[in-house]
Amino acid sequence: LCSKLTVFHNAKTAIAYLKTHRYQLELLPDVILLDINMPVMNGWQFLEEFSQINSDFLSRIRIYMLSSSISSQDARQAQACELLSGYMSKPITLPQLQEIFQP
């Protein structure tokens, strides 16, 4: 589905990577799959930090929030967030992934 996959075990590390490489287009992701519940920094906190550096990126990074939560509040909050390209409930299916990574 993609030519390169980079995994971060917590959002704080991902933010540090993005800040370090913000001007290196070839090192930036096209898509971020973001879980709401993560150690160190949750998905909402990631988005808050990301919003501070988003304008530095030379291309738009599409972010899809993933959640096992059945909370309608999470879904509403995600829909209202302009940084998000979508909100998906886990488990994610292959057709959903194919849709995300279509050119």
Side-chain angles (χ1 to χ4, degrees):
L1 296 174
C2 61
S3 61
K4 182 179 178 187
L5 178 68
T6 304
V7 176
F8 295 96
H9 296 284
N10 69 66
K12 192 168 190 161
T13 305
I15 287 290
Y17 176 89
L18 292 170
K19 285 180 178 179
T20 300
H21 301 293
R22 69 177 84 182
Y23 303 116
Q24 297 168 294
L25 186 61
E26 71 281 358
L27 297 177
L28 294 175
D30 296 319
V31 175
I32 294 175
L33 300 178
L34 178 66
D35 200 333
I36 289 179
N37 297 310
M38 296 177 289
V40 182
M41 176 187 285
N42 69 32
W44 302 116
Q45 292 166 323
F46 172 91
L47 289 171
E48 188 174 316
E49 291 279 327
F50 184 85
S51 71
Q52 305 292 318
I53 58 172
N54 185 38
S55 62
D56 290 343
F57 299 129
L58 300 175
S59 66
R60 184 173 187 277
I61 299 173
R62 294 178 291 132
I63 303 173
Y64 292 87
M65 184 167 271
L66 313 177
S67 178
S68 57
S69 168
I70 57 170
S71 167
S72 59
Q73 179 181 347
D74 284 336
R76 282 192 307 275
Q77 187 174 354
Q79 287 175 339
C81 182
E82 293 181 12
L83 292 173
L84 291 175
S85 296
Y87 175 87
M88 299 179 170
S89 295
K90 294 191 289 185
I92 305 303
T93 65
L94 181 57
Q96 287 174 309
L97 287 173
Q98 288 169 327
E99 186 177 322
I100 288 171
F101 289 102
Q102 275 183 344

